[in-house]
Amino acid sequence: MRDVFIIGSKGIPARYGGFETFVEQLVRYKKSKDIKYHVACMGDTFHEFEYRGCHCFQIKVPNIGSAKAVWYDIAAFLFCLKYICRHSVESPIIYVLACRIGPFAGFLKRRIYHLGGRLFVNPDGHEWKRAKWNKFIRKYWKYSEKLMVKHSDLLICDSKNIESYIQNSYKCYRPKTAYIAYGADVANSRILDEDETLLAWYGKWNLTPQEYYLIVGRFVPENNYETMIREFMRSKTKKKLAIISNVEENPFYQNLKEKTGFEKDKRIVFCQTVYEKQLLKKVRENAWGYLHGHEVGGTNPSLLEALGSTKVNLLLDVGFNREVGEDAALYWTKKKGSLSSLIQKAEELDDTERDVLGSKAKRRILTAYSLEQIAKDYEALFLG
């Protein structure tokens, strides 16, 4: 039996977030009986529970601002060490998602080595580029990333662009890397067009199938909401822009409202959050187009889900997104007029052209981002 301890996601069951979605999929599609997953979850109290055959442990995290995630990862790591020792776990793997605890990595690695285990790391994207951090925190992220690379036994990259970056930026450490992407499915939603829950959702936000563009993702500056909203306002489309995101009590939301005046444009609709997976999948399927502005991450699960569900996808033209979408999507830049022009182009596509793009997108998921294959690749890596 190989015990794999996963640290760094907010936990499962997943709501929003790349890591949370990834861990949910890893657990849901597990096939090997020789692997036992243990997943750290962030919470207000400490307790342990089972979820889909996975051992979950909730770590109580104090509200200490930007250091909260660092505290959480360290506390979760120490719990794993105690659990391994208490249960005499043989050859464990601690898999840390993101590079938040670099300054402590050397100490923690020695502890896991002492217990006969190994340290795996997912370096995520360029966290040190995120606009929400001040320059001091960004410097910490970059330094932390360096130390995580130095001390890890294996870095599992969800993007070939990230793997190349790690290999080129940290040659001095001769990092051992592996590439395994995230996954998505292409099965249609089980919800029908006449479903009462779906109709109620459309009624609540005054939306109509095929008469809206869609954005789904965390409401943070580096996902380029300002550019997408400004460009949509600049466009002449009569369709709406439905934004599904966690904007509640978000200072960025208020700042963006003041800068763009989007509340005056009746086409722009903030639809809060949708955690019911089949409903969200149906909303994706019924969108005229999907806008994706993620810039600093690796392979983004929200993008994969869009390619598996929405026919026309309009992606920010950066390496991460090109790597995923290839010729199955349309691309825009942050240059003024780029996205608004692309929206016009998307509306000029006939049904055949839309169907061709949709078929390419689904084929891209099936061939490169199958959930079953991703889970299988991880299991082979952990067991090997």
Side-chain angles (χ1 to χ4, degrees):
M1 176 66 68
R2 176 59 49 80
D3 291 80
V4 179
F5 298 79
I6 302 175
I7 294 170
S9 76
K10 289 184 175 66
I12 50 178
R15 293 196 171 190
Y16 287 127
F19 281 145
E20 291 72 36
T21 302
F22 156 68
V23 177
E24 173 88 25
Q25 292 170 350
L26 200 61
V27 170
R28 185 183 295 259
Y29 287 90
K30 185 176 85 73
K31 297 295 184 184
S32 175
K33 296 180 180 179
D34 295 325
I35 291 179
K36 175 71 174 180
Y37 287 122
H38 308 258
V39 177
C41 304
M42 185 180 290
D44 298 322
T45 60
F46 174 81
H47 74 279
E48 300 176 60
F49 61 96
E50 288 282 321
Y51 176 73
R52 292 183 176 273
C54 166
H55 166 232
C56 300
F57 53 97
Q58 187 165 288
I59 301 293
K60 183 178 179 180
V61 184
N63 190 9
I64 51 177
S66 57
K68 182 177 181 178
V70 177
W71 193 99
Y72 169 55
D73 284 0
I74 293 173
F77 204 117
L78 293 175
F79 173 85
C80 293
L81 293 173
K82 291 179 181 178
Y83 184 96
I84 291 166
C85 187
R86 186 166 64 246
H87 294 273
S88 301
V89 176
E90 295 183 3
S91 303
I93 292 172
I94 295 185
Y95 184 25
V96 181
L97 307 177
C99 296
R100 291 183 281 255
I101 54 174
F104 312 93
F107 165 77
L108 294 171
K109 181 180 178 179
R110 288 191 294 272
R111 295 287 302 276
I112 188 65
Y113 264 36
H114 180 71
L115 295 172
R118 289 176 291 168
L119 174 61
F120 289 8
V121 173
N122 185 315
D124 196 16
H126 299 312
E127 186 70 28
W128 46 275
K129 285 186 177 181
R130 292 191 185 276
K132 65 180 179 179
W133 305 125
N134 62 45
K135 65 178 181 179
F136 300 107
I137 295 177
R138 289 185 192 183
K139 285 183 178 180
Y140 171 84
W141 279 116
K142 184 64 174 171
Y143 177 65
S144 183
E145 176 184 89
K146 173 183 175 181
L147 294 179
M148 293 293 279
V149 172
K150 177 181 178 180
H151 292 293
S152 67
D153 293 302
L154 179 68
L155 293 129
I156 306 175
C157 305
D158 58 69
S159 159
K160 292 177 182 177
N161 275 262
I162 288 294
E163 184 177 29
S164 177
Y165 160 75
I166 293 293
Q167 289 285 356
N168 293 328
S169 299
Y170 300 108
K171 290 180 181 177
C172 58
Y173 299 132
R174 298 181 181 179
K176 183 179 179 182
T177 61
Y179 164 69
I180 305 180
Y182 292 145
D185 72 81
V186 298
N188 291 334
S189 171
R190 294 192 294 270
I191 289 180
L192 302 177
D193 287 330
E194 59 272 19
D195 184 271
E196 291 183 3
T197 302
L198 176 67
L199 295 176
W201 189 86
Y202 279 135
K204 180 178 181 180
W205 304 113
N206 194 24
L207 295 171
T208 304
Q210 299 303 320
E211 291 298 324
Y212 61 90
Y213 290 85
L214 180 66
I215 301 175
V216 181
R218 288 191 303 161
F219 201 69
V220 291
E222 60 270 14
N223 288 349
N224 286 291
Y225 278 95
E226 181 174 350
T227 299
M228 291 189 288
I229 288 173
R230 284 189 185 278
E231 288 294 306
F232 192 87
M233 293 173 67
R234 187 174 286 120
S235 76
K236 293 181 173 58
T237 181
K238 294 182 180 179
K239 300 183 188 300
K240 293 187 176 182
L241 176 60
I243 301 174
I244 297 178
S245 188
N246 54 327
V247 299
E248 298 88 347
E249 300 180 7
N250 190 321
F252 174 56
Y253 173 84
Q254 188 61 37
N255 179 261
L256 199 56
K257 183 163 68 171
E258 294 171 359
K259 290 171 69 175
T260 66
F262 64 72
E263 78 279 6
K264 299 174 185 175
D265 192 325
K266 301 303 181 184
R267 298 174 299 172
I268 297 175
V269 185
F270 280 86
C271 305
Q272 299 177 356
T273 51
V274 178
Y275 292 134
E276 206 288 293
K277 295 184 184 299
Q278 290 301 313
L279 174 59
L280 180 57
K281 192 169 186 64
K282 191 65 176 181
V283 170
R284 288 184 184 279
E285 291 171 1
N286 286 346
W288 178 261
Y290 183 80
L291 307 187
H292 188 76
H294 290 53
E295 185 174 11
V296 303
T299 300
N300 182 263
S302 182
L303 172 55
L304 299 180
E305 290 164 6
L307 290 171
S309 303
T310 311
K311 289 183 178 180
V312 180
N313 293 276
L314 287 63
L315 318 182
L316 177 61
D317 194 358
V318 293
F320 307 118
N321 298 335
R322 278 273 183 185
E323 176 187 324
V324 174
E326 293 188 344
D327 66 344
L330 307 176
Y331 297 90
W332 50 276
T333 70
K334 292 194 284 186
K335 183 179 178 181
K336 184 177 180 180
S338 175
L339 178 54
S340 56
S341 297
L342 192 62
I343 289 172
Q344 181 62 37
K345 179 181 177 181
E347 301 207 350
E348 293 171 356
L349 296 173
D350 59 32
D351 289 343
T352 300
E353 291 171 318
R354 288 174 54 80
D355 288 342
V356 167
L357 277 174
S359 295
K360 284 183 177 180
K362 286 198 172 187
R363 189 161 58 248
R364 182 78 184 118
I365 298 300
L366 285 170
T367 56
Y369 301 99
S370 157
L371 287 171
E372 292 84 354
Q373 187 59 48
I374 300 305
K376 183 179 178 181
D377 289 347
Y378 260 100
E379 289 180 13
L381 190 67
F382 291 145
L383 292 172

